[in-house]
Amino acid sequence: MFLIKFKSTGVLSIVGVMTTQNKKSPILRCTLMGIERNYRIRILSERLYKKERRFYSTLDNIKNAAINPWFLTGFIDGEGCFRISLTKINRAIGWRVQLFFQINLHVKDRALLENIKDYLGVGKIHISGNNLIQYRVQTFDELTIIIKHLETYPLISQKRADFELFKKAHELVMSKEHLNKEGILKIVSLKASLNLGLSEQMKLAFPYVIPAVRCTDYSVSIPDCNWLSGFATAEGCFMVGIITRQSSTGNQVYLIFLITQHIRDELLMKSF
């Protein structure tokens, strides 16, 4: 049974639930089925024993596995972050522009970040906090590798809008427009529509900047089962619960697979 649940905080959850009240049953089995036209071909459980099985294994097995490009895009849809940074400096133009692509994970997932780094051939991994590590790409030539990947294997969540704004900022920097006032204003306009927008300090520095138009009118469909695996790796949650019942039926055991997203990604949730 799969449900899409709406919460008043602007969050959507897709939940797959399996329950049993038979305390004598030794086996629980839950199979996630693909859409009907892909039945017997793209069912995740059937792919476990084919060449893509590495994408559903533990990190011990994933350590030396190749990354599928759609898996990477799905994972970026879940955990990737595109940032535009402007720092005040004592120069003629007055601002330094830096662009970042980054993924933050718990240190236990270092093997996965190493695989992503090896696949893309760019970026660095470093400690980002208590038990946190970060994969970061920030040089303009290396960011071109990320952009080309996502042009070939596009994002399908609303993060795609962030990527398109980020790509425009990258184009402005590559054409040296960030070295003049007009170019800086264009980049600030893009930053105003990216992620959480402008800080209060930036709003004071650029009070008349109009946020860039954020395109959100994208069609949403799962392009490949590896995308779904990557997204579930980033955003999925598996839970087991036990409810104690004072009756002859014994305890109730339930299994839940859960993905929670902002309400803006309602179409993505429904596409599952």
Side-chain angles (χ1 to χ4, degrees), residues 33-72:
M33 306 296 287
I35 56 180
E36 188 175 14
R37 65 175 178 269
N38 294 330
Y39 178 62
R40 306 293 299 176
I41 296 176
R42 295 182 179 275
I43 298 174
L44 298 182
S45 61
E46 296 211 356
R47 299 178 70 86
L48 289 175
Y49 297 101
K50 298 183 180 181
K51 62 181 181 179
E52 287 87 358
R53 64 177 297 188
R54 55 184 175 270
F55 301 124
Y56 311 100
S57 59
T58 64
L59 281 180
D60 289 338
N61 294 327
I62 226 170
K63 185 174 183 180
N64 298 313
I67 292 290
N68 178 280
W70 276 119
F71 176 96
L72 177 56

Side-chain angles (χ1 to χ4, degrees), residues 1-247:
M1 176 174 64
F2 289 89
L3 306 173
I4 293 181
K5 301 171 65 177
F6 174 74
K7 299 180 180 180
S8 59
T9 54
V11 173
L12 282 173
S13 295
I14 182 168
V15 187
V17 184
M18 177 180 179
T19 66
T20 178
Q21 288 183 296
N22 185 354
K23 61 183 178 180
K24 294 182 180 181
S25 176
I27 297 175
L28 291 174
R29 181 177 180 182
C30 180
T31 302
L32 176 61
M33 306 296 287
I35 56 180
E36 188 175 14
R37 65 175 178 269
N38 294 330
Y39 178 62
R40 306 293 299 176
I41 296 176
R42 295 182 179 275
I43 298 174
L44 298 182
S45 61
E46 296 211 356
R47 299 178 70 86
L48 289 175
Y49 297 101
K50 298 183 180 181
K51 62 181 181 179
E52 287 87 358
R53 64 177 297 188
R54 55 184 175 270
F55 301 124
Y56 311 100
S57 59
T58 64
L59 281 180
D60 289 338
N61 294 327
I62 226 170
K63 185 174 183 180
N64 298 313
I67 292 290
N68 178 280
W70 276 119
F71 176 96
L72 177 56
T73 293
F75 192 78
I76 292 173
D77 259 316
E79 290 288 355
C81 179
F82 303 94
R83 289 181 50 219
I84 300 174
S85 172
L86 286 95
T87 306
K88 186 70 175 177
I89 57 175
N90 295 321
R91 294 181 184 175
I93 194 63
W95 297 91
R96 179 177 63 187
V97 178
Q98 292 178 291
L99 306 180
F100 302 96
F101 167 74
Q102 60 193 51
I103 299 173
N104 294 294
L105 294 176
H106 191 277
V107 67
K108 68 181 181 181
D109 285 319
R110 186 181 186 95
L112 179 55
L113 288 187
E114 293 283 0
N115 272 11
I116 292 173
K117 177 177 177 292
D118 291 344
Y119 174 82
L120 293 170
V122 297
K124 296 181 180 180
I125 297 174
H126 58 86
I127 301 297
S128 180
N130 186 28
N131 293 324
L132 295 176
I133 54 174
Q134 181 183 93
Y135 169 67
R136 175 183 288 190
V137 180
Q138 65 183 76
T139 69
F140 299 122
D141 290 341
E142 290 186 342
L143 285 170
T144 300
I145 303 296
I146 305 294
I147 290 172
K148 287 182 177 179
H149 171 83
L150 294 176
E151 287 176 337
T152 306
Y153 303 94
L155 300 165
I156 66 172
S157 73
Q158 287 299 311
K159 192 166 291 182
R160 180 172 176 177
D162 289 335
F163 168 69
E164 295 297 336
L165 295 170
F166 182 84
K167 186 168 69 170
K168 290 179 181 178
H170 184 264
E171 292 169 354
L172 289 171
V173 171
M174 294 299 288
S175 61
K176 308 297 184 182
E177 290 193 51
H178 67 298
L179 300 178
N180 60 67
K181 184 177 180 180
E182 291 75 15
I184 288 292
L185 291 176
K186 291 178 182 178
I187 292 174
V188 174
S189 175
L190 294 169
K191 180 177 173 62
S193 296
L194 185 70
N195 300 326
L196 298 178
L198 300 178
S199 65
E200 293 302 320
Q201 182 180 5
M202 291 295 297
K203 289 178 181 178
L204 290 175
F206 300 94
Y208 303 111
V209 165
I210 299 175
V213 175
R214 181 184 176 89
C215 182
T216 58
D217 187 21
Y218 300 116
S219 60
V220 179
S221 63
I222 306 300
D224 188 278
C225 66
N226 286 289
W227 180 94
L228 182 58
S229 178
F231 192 75
T233 298
E235 297 288 346
C237 179
F238 300 90
M239 295 183 290
V240 179
I242 300 176
I243 298 176
T244 301
R245 296 186 178 278
Q246 302 298 325
S247 67

